[in-house]
Amino acid sequence: MAGVVVHRAVLGDGRPSLPYAETGRPGSGPPLVLVHGYADSWWTWEPTLRAMPSVLHAYAPTQRGHGDADKPEEGYLPEDFADDLVAFLDHLGIERAVLVGGSSGGVHARIVAGRRPDRVAGLVLLGIPALLADKPGVTGIWETVQALEDPVDRTFAAEFTRGLVVGKVAPGFLETVVDESLKAPARVWRETLRGLLETDLAATLTGILVPTLVVWGDRDPLLTRSDQQLILDAIPDSRLLVHEGAGHVVYWEDPDRVVRDLAAFTAALRR
């Protein structure tokens, strides 16, 4: 297991500064960049980072508006987050990376993969929606989020977080995830979800030609198998791994298995 070190990336050029966690050491292949989802921070990847062998070199940035990242007044469309990801790669001098998207973070990752394939060696999508506006559970959350005020209600944030889990997750870790989500002001919860719902997410699946691994828990309360099939049908070089008995956030419930999936995927890329 590798140690985890936290740094801060000052992106410059008017972009926000972002904290990020790093583990492992540079190797012969491209590093992993782990992209968190809605209302999360790099902490969502902490169990995954801890489980990684030192031969896997990984970064996990906190995105704008979230956690301890800078919180600009605007810029919460999926393409804004995607542009920050490219700026993050530039800041660290990473020519090509394996982008690993968790939940809605996979939307940002796949935008980069489609627009900047020169920067992406491979794409891993962990519990990623093909579409969102058609999901009754998401539209119900949107009704609540529209009315959020600061400070964001902890009971709402806790129910939102726990509603994503069906397996065993350490209670202390879930409390930390809730704490991190409360660092995002109400306007970030609102504008980030608005951006996801109003963006043509089907269009963000086009033009992706890099090798892609799709991972889905078959007890996901938000996403169906048919939703994942839309991703597989849209991305030519893609395949599906099903985690039986897992919920939406497979990397919370079985980080060791997710690390094995990542290790096998990156090894295949090197071959």
Side-chain angles (χ1 to χ4, degrees):
M1 297 176 67
V4 178
V5 181
V6 180
H7 314 274
R8 194 168 191 93
V10 181
L11 301 184
D13 196 26
R15 295 197 173 277
S17 71
L18 311 176
Y20 66 95
E22 180 183 11
T23 190
R25 58 177 183 266
S28 57
L32 304 170
V33 174
L34 313 181
V35 188
H36 69 75
Y38 178 61
D40 270 337
S41 72
W42 78 260
W43 264 101
T44 197
W45 299 108
E46 198 269 350
T48 308
L49 294 167
R50 294 285 181 193
M52 283 189 180
S54 59
V55 294
L56 286 180
H57 188 202
Y59 301 91
T62 295
Q63 300 185 80
R64 64 166 62 205
H66 295 70
D68 293 319
D70 287 349
K71 298 171 175 61
E73 288 299 317
E74 57 186 10
Y76 295 99
L77 295 175
E79 54 261 38
D80 296 317
F81 292 107
D83 288 344
D84 284 349
L85 272 178
V86 176
F88 180 74
L89 298 180
D90 291 341
H91 175 80
L92 293 177
I94 299 172
E95 292 186 7
R96 299 176 79 226
V98 175
L99 297 184
V100 181
S103 190
S104 62
V107 174
H108 314 152
R110 75 195 193 206
I111 290 174
V112 177
R115 293 181 179 177
R116 295 298 307 272
D118 58 310
R119 307 302 298 273
V120 181
L123 182 64
V124 181
L125 303 176
L126 303 170
I128 308 305
L131 307 174
L132 264 183
D134 64 333
K135 308 292 187 298
V138 176
T139 53
I141 292 169
W142 173 234
E143 292 178 1
T144 302
V145 167
Q146 288 183 86
L148 282 183
E149 296 181 354
D150 292 318
V152 174
D153 180 63
R154 185 178 185 86
T155 300
F156 161 73
E159 290 176 352
F160 172 79
T161 298
R162 295 188 180 110
L164 304 175
V165 176
V166 299
K168 291 183 178 180
V169 179
F173 170 71
L174 282 183
E175 287 301 308
T176 299
V177 170
V178 173
D179 289 342
E180 289 293 298
S181 73
L182 292 172
K183 293 179 180 179
R187 61 181 173 79
V188 172
W189 283 77
R190 187 163 46 252
E191 294 310 310
T192 301
L193 187 52
R194 186 196 306 276
L196 287 165
L197 290 173
E198 294 182 355
T199 295
D200 181 358
L201 294 191
T204 68
L205 287 167
T206 61
I208 300 174
L209 301 177
V210 301
T212 299
L213 176 65
V214 179
V215 181
W216 172 71
D218 67 356
R219 293 182 62 195
D220 190 321
L222 292 176
L223 308 180
T224 62
R225 173 66 175 79
S226 60
D227 187 74
Q228 300 302 284
Q229 190 62 46
L230 292 174
I231 298 175
L232 296 171
D233 291 343
I235 302 177
D237 189 5
S238 62
R239 64 186 181 91
L240 175 68
L241 278 181
V242 177
H243 282 216
E244 295 183 359
H248 181 63
V249 196
V250 294
Y251 45 95
W252 291 356
E253 297 183 16
D254 197 346
D256 291 328
R257 181 176 177 185
V258 168
V259 167
R260 291 194 297 271
D261 295 340
L262 295 175
F265 180 74
T266 56
L269 290 177
R270 287 195 294 272
R271 288 195 297 270

